[in-house]
Amino acid sequence: MTFQPTSGGLPLQLLRLVSPSQPVGAFAYSRGLEWAVHDRTVRDEATARDWIFRLIEHSYAVCDAALFLRMMHALEAEDRAAFLKADAWLSAARESKEVELEDKQMGASMLTVLRDLGVSSAKSFTTVKLTYPAVFALAAVNWKIAPADALRGLLWSAVEGQVSAAIRLVPLGHTAGQRLLIAAAEVIERAARKAEMTGDDEIGNAAPAMAMASAWHETQYSRLFRS
């Protein structure tokens, strides 16, 4: 299987894959950020930046992103067992019921899109509830996006989703949101490099503040988001 090289320019299919217009319902989730705003832990641009960037670099990079790379490589090697093992590992690492439901719902929605688009590999997972990163990997391999590019695209999607939620929740102005996205480029690159260097025995999710925020969000009195 031939992938587009990272140095050969940005794969245009990746732009479509990370677009907010993807009908996967990402806009409905905040992954605990709504409770953090309710608690005033996140209350302005600076605290939103700290919350989002630290989660990406110190939690997402060594769990979601590291396992995503293993899924990509397993799909390249046509190793279904290794792909499903990495997906199950990621699913088991979810911090709360809400986060797990968010991940599986977005994964199911993306899988439906891929099936409707005629992606043959998506049709072989009709009885499996995959995580969103797993289905993102399926799409990336189908459109021959290099693993390094796909990884950075997934990280961008995670950051953009959180910034979008912060704009609505804090609330932040759109200019503040753009400042966060501009600053995110460096954080995403560091997170990607960390994911690429993470060994199997280093994979793990340690984000207690987000885990507690997500759990408390389940019983929050007034909510705009599903997580």
Side-chain angles (χ1 to χ4, degrees):
M1 186 172 292
T2 302
F3 289 91
Q4 299 177 29
T6 303
S7 59
L10 184 67
L12 295 182
Q13 291 290 1
L14 180 59
L15 296 181
R16 185 176 57 76
L17 191 56
V18 302
S19 170
S21 67
Q22 281 286 352
V24 298
F27 64 88
Y29 302 101
S30 80
R31 191 162 285 201
L33 180 60
E34 184 166 25
W35 187 89
V37 173
H38 169 77
D39 186 58
R40 302 282 298 165
T41 300
V42 175
R43 57 193 176 276
D44 53 25
E45 183 179 343
T47 51
R49 175 185 176 123
D50 288 345
W51 179 274
I52 296 168
F53 289 2
R54 288 173 181 172
L55 280 175
I56 290 296
E57 191 169 359
H58 302 299
S59 177
Y60 200 95
V62 292
C63 189
D64 298 58
L67 288 169
F68 171 77
L69 277 178
R70 284 155 178 76
M71 294 178 206
M72 287 285 295
H73 295 318
L75 290 170
E76 287 183 61
E78 299 182 356
D79 189 339
R80 183 185 177 97
F83 172 75
L84 290 175
K85 179 181 178 180
D87 175 68
W89 190 347
L90 180 55
S91 183
R94 291 306 177 219
E95 298 88 343
S96 70
K97 179 180 179 180
E98 279 196 348
V99 174
E100 182 181 14
L101 290 174
E102 167 190 340
D103 199 29
K104 293 297 178 67
Q105 182 58 57
M106 287 178 58
S109 298
M110 175 67 88
L111 201 58
T112 297
V113 172
L114 296 184
R115 290 195 198 107
D116 290 346
L117 290 173
V119 175
S120 58
S121 58
K123 297 177 182 178
S124 66
F125 292 97
T126 55
T127 61
V128 182
K129 291 185 177 181
L130 298 173
T131 61
Y132 180 70
V135 186
F136 195 101
L138 282 173
V141 169
N142 179 75
W143 283 299
K144 297 180 174 58
I145 300 169
D149 290 327
L151 171 63
R152 286 157 176 81
L154 181 68
L155 287 164
W156 173 265
S157 291
V159 171
E160 187 175 35
Q162 287 281 280
V163 170
S164 176
I167 288 172
R168 287 174 279 170
L169 286 168
V170 175
L172 299 178
H174 286 282
T175 301
Q178 288 300 305
R179 282 195 294 267
L180 290 176
L181 291 175
I182 291 168
E186 183 178 342
V187 177
I188 287 171
E189 186 57 35
R190 287 201 304 267
R193 290 197 298 267
K194 180 180 286 190
E196 290 164 345
M197 294 185 295
T198 298
D200 287 353
D201 60 350
E202 298 173 307
I203 294 175
N205 202 358
M210 193 273 277
M212 291 186 290
S214 178
W216 287 328
H217 183 265
E218 294 178 13
T219 57
Q220 188 172 321
Y221 174 69
S222 177
R223 302 189 300 175
L224 295 175
F225 291 80
R226 295 177 63 182
S227 75

